[in-house]
Amino acid sequence: MKNTFGLAGLAVMGENLVLNIESRGFSVSVYNRTYAKTEKFMAGRARGKNITGFESVKSFVESLESPRRIMMMLKAGDPVDQFIDQLIPYLEEGDIIIDGGNSNFHDTIRRLEYVEQKGFRFIGSGVSGGEEGALKGPSIMPGGSVAAWPYLEPVFMAAAAKVDDGTPCCAWMGPGGSGHFVKMVHNGIEYGDMQLICEAYHFMKEIMGMDNNEIHSTFARWNKGELSSYLIEITAEIMAFRDQDGFAVVDRVLDAAGQKGTGKWTVDASLDYGIPLSLISESVFARCLSSFKELRTEASKVLSGDVAKFAGDRPALLEDLGKALYCAKIISYTQGFGLLQAASEEYGWQLNYADIARIWRGGCIIRSAFLDRIAEAYTENPKLANVLLAPYFKEQLVGSQMSLRRVVATALMAGIPMPCHSAAINYFDGLRTQRLPANLLQAQRDYFGAHTYERVDKPRGEWFHTNWTGRGGTTTSTSYSK
Ligand code: 6PG
């Protein structure tokens, strides 16, 4: 009897995913580079289950039904390429390799081509939810060889998280590197959400002088309303968590953030496609700045500022803070979905934004009630140009923008950094400004470099050059480049 599903890479995510898939009634073959790890797993958590461990890649591959479904849960980068090359000699036409790690979508596009050329199929799939999600049900974002999807669908749908109405948090994303691109944007949004929450915490602590218990209660309260989400929920728990000696663990954690790169990749992509992703970019930079702990300590001693202490209406300000966080979150998702739209057009993926919002409602790190609203907006109008133009979001921003302004202004005056909240209000104001100062910018470009400009009194696409100094010629930079 052959097994239904193969999984290679028994690190935290891999191990838990195997147990999840097996628990849905599938037999699973497992492989790990270090066999001792496989043996440990087989003797431990996999004991008595419909799971078989293999020492060689060959026997692992041969233990599977055709077409073989082999999922890699490996560290992104070279290990993935190396394992694909180890698998290939034992595969048969139509077999499916799935990369469930956090691979860069450019690598996925390259690997897909490589694997398909050899007659096999390749899926790059985002899997989100951390350890617990992998075990109980993650959010799964598969994309790649479309012909492979019918063979994977039963396994992935069964293993994925289910939201309250029973919908699985998994859907086919599209061809090429779409699955990993969507997961990358998920992670970028995760960075933005986390930084926004951290800024709200900093605001409560430093400006409002709230203690951990009060901050805990505020997050717990917010988790019952429109901000309800996994990240707010765990933040409330973190605020209440005490060491054995009763001291708050959060106060013992060093303020130097780490990152593995998916946030940076999201920002890279936003620059590639020219999509303003200012909030997520600031969240990546905030992690970078935090990591210069020693430099910040030094600077804190010399770069003093005459900052104002808040002396206004505290309950009203706390109310503002919750609304500001919600507005900024809406703007972050607006930017994130803008990036998805740009990539979908660039690669012809035809992403379904409503589906993406729906499969992020459960299982993954950014899961929240709020994603229902995004799904609704795209269901109503699949061609929505900007999330802020959907009726619900327009109403929220128009109604609560003053809260965001007051919070950012208060933080600025108090000298407390809120880069992501500030980026949010700046994007909002930029988007709703009919005439930006880019007229001057174009004039500057034309002045020093004859880069030409369009005119308000002429149709778009007609380009003009002015001899600003009386010294320049009539040759424009566009004609130079021809
Ligand atoms: C998930 C997470 C996960 C991510 C970690 C760490 O969806 O389960 O996004 O994939 O790798 O959260 O990311 P950083 O180390 O970059 O914070």
Side-chain angles (χ1 to χ4, degrees):
M1 267 282 281
K2 301 220 168 184
N3 285 337
T4 310
F5 200 80
L7 192 139
L10 294 174
V12 184
M13 291 294 282
E15 237 188 62
N16 285 295
L17 205 54
V18 169
L19 294 170
N20 175 356
I21 292 170
E22 193 272 346
S23 75
R24 318 283 169 178
F26 301 100
S27 52
V28 189
S29 296
V30 296
Y31 171 86
N32 194 71
R33 192 169 48 121
T34 318
Y35 185 57
K37 187 94 210 281
T38 311
E39 284 182 308
K40 190 166 168 238
F41 179 57
M42 292 308 302
R45 296 175 82 196
R47 201 191 168 95
K49 301 211 154 72
N50 207 350
I51 299 171
T52 329
F54 293 90
E55 191 170 3
S56 77
V57 175
K58 184 171 187 284
S59 54
F60 165 65
V61 173
E62 285 172 356
S63 71
L64 296 166
E65 296 166 1
S66 294
R68 299 183 175 107
R69 291 163 276 195
I70 302 170
M71 185 156 184
M72 304 178 291
M73 291 301 290
L74 307 172
K75 195 170 164 347
D78 292 343
V80 177
D81 289 303
Q82 285 158 13
F83 195 67
I84 291 172
D85 281 330
Q86 277 181 273
L87 284 174
I88 280 175
Y90 309 113
L91 297 183
E92 284 163 8
E93 202 180 325
D95 284 352
I96 305 158
I97 303 179
I98 307 134
D99 176 9
N102 264 335
S103 289
N104 186 296
F105 78 102
H106 290 296
D107 287 336
T108 303
I109 293 172
R110 173 178 55 77
R111 288 171 187 145
L112 174 74
E113 208 171 290
Y114 177 71
V115 171
E116 279 192 344
Q117 263 172 11
K118 297 194 180 294
F120 315 119
R121 292 156 181 172
F122 191 81
I123 300 281
S125 183
V127 178
S128 174
E131 190 177 344
E132 201 188 347
L135 182 65
K136 296 185 181 155
S139 173
I140 314 180
M141 299 148 244
S145 313
V146 67
W149 179 230
Y151 299 100
L152 282 184
E153 197 174 353
V155 181
F156 276 13
M157 289 299 195
K162 313 285 179 301
V163 283
D164 292 345
D165 63 7
T167 319
C169 293
C170 174
W172 179 249
M173 295 289 101
S178 57
H180 275 139
F181 191 91
V182 171
K183 174 64 190 349
M184 177 192 79
V185 174
H186 164 282
N187 280 28
I189 290 176
E190 171 186 310
Y191 274 53
D193 276 354
M194 290 168 80
Q195 177 63 24
L196 284 172
I197 294 171
C198 290
E199 290 176 12
Y201 154 67
H202 202 189
F203 190 99
M204 286 188 256
K205 188 173 162 193
E206 298 299 335
I207 298 179
M208 305 189 66
M210 291 164 66
D211 66 19
N212 289 333
N213 289 334
E214 290 171 307
I215 299 173
H216 155 78
S217 310
T218 304
F219 280 117
R221 181 162 54 78
W222 286 351
N223 197 41
K224 296 199 177 87
E226 57 199 4
L227 280 166
S228 166
S229 63
Y230 170 72
L231 285 169
I232 294 276
E233 181 191 328
I234 65 162
T235 303
E237 278 176 29
I238 290 168
M239 294 314 304
F241 203 91
R242 300 278 179 274
D243 248 341
Q244 272 150 354
D245 60 4
F247 198 85
V249 176
V250 71
D251 291 331
R252 286 194 167 137
V253 178
L254 186 77
D255 53 326
Q259 52 185 318
K260 290 197 214 61
T262 48
K264 175 195 171 290
W265 293 349
T266 318
V267 177
D268 286 345
S270 78
L271 293 172
D272 286 344
Y273 311 129
I275 296 300
L277 201 77
S278 47
L279 194 147
I280 293 172
S281 306
E282 286 290 3
S283 72
V284 175
F285 292 138
R287 290 195 191 193
C288 298
L289 187 59
S290 79
S291 72
F292 304 140
K293 175 71 182 173
E294 290 72 24
L295 177 65
R296 287 190 291 108
T297 304
E298 197 52 41
S300 71
K301 292 178 196 145
V302 293
L303 301 177
S304 56
D306 191 10
V307 294
K309 275 264 163 268
F310 178 73
D313 179 345
R314 291 173 87 253
L317 189 62
L318 197 55
E319 179 77 18
D320 272 344
L321 188 62
K323 287 187 179 162
L325 180 53
Y326 192 56
C327 285
K329 184 180 168 94
I330 292 172
I331 289 165
S332 180
Y333 283 64
T334 299
Q335 295 189 337
F337 275 79
L339 178 59
L340 289 173
Q341 277 170 293
S344 181
E345 273 161 38
E346 172 83 15
Y347 291 98
W349 288 335
Q350 297 191 302
L351 294 179
N352 181 324
Y353 311 107
D355 270 358
I356 294 171
R358 265 192 285 272
I359 67 167
W360 286 349
R361 287 179 305 162
C364 63
I365 306 294
I366 64 168
R367 62 183 180 262
S368 69
F370 160 82
L371 280 154
D372 267 327
R373 300 293 193 172
I374 305 244
E376 278 161 23
Y378 278 109
T379 304
E380 220 163 87
N381 179 8
K383 295 203 180 332
L384 187 65
N386 185 293
V387 169
L388 293 183
L389 300 180
Y392 169 79
F393 295 112
K394 187 175 66 189
E395 212 173 280
Q396 290 298 315
L397 262 296
V398 169
S400 300
Q401 61 178 285
M402 287 314 292
S403 296
L404 179 54
R405 292 184 198 286
R406 280 191 291 267
V407 163
V408 171
T410 307
L412 280 174
M413 292 316 291
I416 296 300
M418 286 196 115
C420 286
H421 283 80
S422 309
I425 193 66
N426 277 312
Y427 173 82
F428 177 70
D429 284 337
L431 184 72
R432 67 187 195 88
T433 298
Q434 202 264 338
R435 186 157 166 87
L436 285 169
N439 52 330
L440 174 58
L441 195 129
Q442 285 296 78
Q444 291 166 334
R445 292 177 67 241
D446 192 53
Y447 185 108
F448 64 66
H451 294 289
T452 73
Y453 57 90
E454 294 168 282
R455 295 176 61 100
V456 292
D457 53 357
K458 298 283 182 202
R460 293 293 310 261
E462 271 187 50
W463 297 90
F464 297 87
H465 169 59
T466 292
N467 187 350
W468 299 90
T469 59
R471 295 187 298 274
T474 51
T475 315
T476 63
S477 73
T478 328
S479 43
Y480 275 129
S481 62
K482 274 187 186 151

